[in-house]
Amino acid sequence: IHSEGVFEPFANEIEDGRDTTEWIVEQGWANGRIGTWGGSYDGYTAMAAAVDNDLVSAVMADDSPPDLSFDIQGGVLGLHLLSWRYLLDHQDWMPEAITGTATNTLDLTTLDNLILGYDDFLLTDFLVAQHPDAEYFESRGIRERFDQICAPTFMVVSFSNGVMLPIWQAVVDSDCNRDSDERHFMFVTPDEHCEHMGYVMDGSTEVASLMMDFIDHYVGERDV
């Protein structure tokens, strides 16, 4: 909320992550080991911060997308992107009245005003592309750079998000990880979107407890 500049998701996360980790290691309280973690978009930023960045010691991502393609379902534009933007603006999900109005409109160019109340450059950019291809998504994500994530990874995929599987495979198959795949973990669960990430600090689910062990081992002072 108080950051400078314009928030442009899926565009600057690699550079922002590098700047943040470089700042952290200069602080007196840092032990030199940095773990990045998060669910959904926050998990995307966690992965982006680790791209070609040897300052990152471990990465945890729960149900995280590789780029903007997550909002294309069967070739059709969904409302996930704009509903998420609404959540960021209002700290609450959009009400059913707005959802109903948005899903019944035939003019996609008005969706941003119907949902957000203003022209959203991200939707405009998306629609101008008309039929987004791999090159477009490459410019709005890190799909082509997963092989540059060389830190140990812990990824969780729920029933609602299968895109994490190829991400994990690309990381494991990369040159920097091929001989050390025992450091990379993938858990597939039947749970809700990002459910386990919300319980990491108290370890109240088995997966969340394993997440904490992973962070303790690679970032903390405890050998697990």
Side-chain angles (χ1 to χ4, degrees):
I1 295 175
H2 301 293
S3 297
E4 298 176 354
V6 176
F7 176 49
E8 187 175 357
F10 298 96
N12 304 303
E13 288 81 0
I14 292 177
E15 293 77 11
D16 289 346
R18 182 177 297 277
D19 288 346
T20 302
T21 55
E22 289 177 350
W23 176 85
I24 289 174
V25 295
E26 294 176 354
Q27 307 310 303
W29 42 260
N31 69 358
R33 286 174 284 181
I34 298 175
T36 63
W37 64 291
S40 199
Y41 172 73
D42 291 340
Y44 169 83
T45 64
M47 293 187 292
V51 169
D52 193 25
N53 187 354
D54 57 10
L55 294 178
V56 175
S57 301
V59 181
M60 289 198 311
D62 187 351
D63 270 351
S64 304
D67 50 37
L68 275 174
S69 62
F70 74 90
D71 211 22
I72 298 292
Q73 303 293 328
V76 178
L77 176 67
L79 290 179
H80 300 88
L81 178 62
L82 288 177
S83 64
W84 174 64
R85 300 277 273 175
Y86 183 95
L87 173 65
L88 296 179
D89 288 346
H90 301 275
Q91 289 76 58
D92 197 6
W93 294 106
M94 60 184 180
E96 292 185 5
I98 295 179
T99 303
T101 301
T103 54
N104 285 311
T105 185
L106 299 179
D107 185 359
L108 295 180
T109 63
T110 66
L111 278 175
D112 48 2
N113 275 280
L114 284 173
I115 294 176
L116 305 175
Y118 56 82
D119 293 330
D120 180 58
F121 69 90
L122 198 57
L123 177 67
T124 301
D125 184 41
F126 195 95
L127 293 178
V128 166
Q130 293 186 355
H131 299 288
D133 55 16
E135 184 177 350
Y136 172 81
F137 289 125
E138 184 178 344
S139 69
R140 289 285 186 181
I142 57 173
R143 184 184 293 269
E144 301 303 315
R145 302 190 66 178
F146 290 127
D147 61 345
Q148 297 176 40
I149 298 177
C150 298
T153 57
F154 189 116
M155 298 186 185
V156 180
V157 54
S158 73
F159 75 94
S160 65
N161 183 2
V163 298
M164 291 291 291
L165 294 172
I167 295 173
W168 180 79
Q169 193 63 60
V171 170
V172 171
D173 289 343
S174 70
D175 289 339
C176 62
N177 291 315
R178 190 166 291 131
D179 297 327
S180 54
D181 58 355
E182 72 277 1
R183 303 182 310 158
H184 304 285
F185 306 91
M186 164 64 74
F187 288 85
V188 181
T189 80
D191 304 299
E192 297 295 331
H193 183 57
C194 301
E195 179 173 340
H196 297 285
M197 190 59 70
Y199 297 111
V200 169
M201 301 309 294
D202 61 23
S204 57
T205 72
E206 185 174 354
V207 174
S209 180
L210 290 172
M211 285 178 169
M212 183 57 72
D213 287 344
F214 175 81
I215 285 294
D216 277 340
H217 180 74
Y218 288 107
V219 181
E221 307 295 339
R222 186 163 62 100
D223 187 17
V224 179

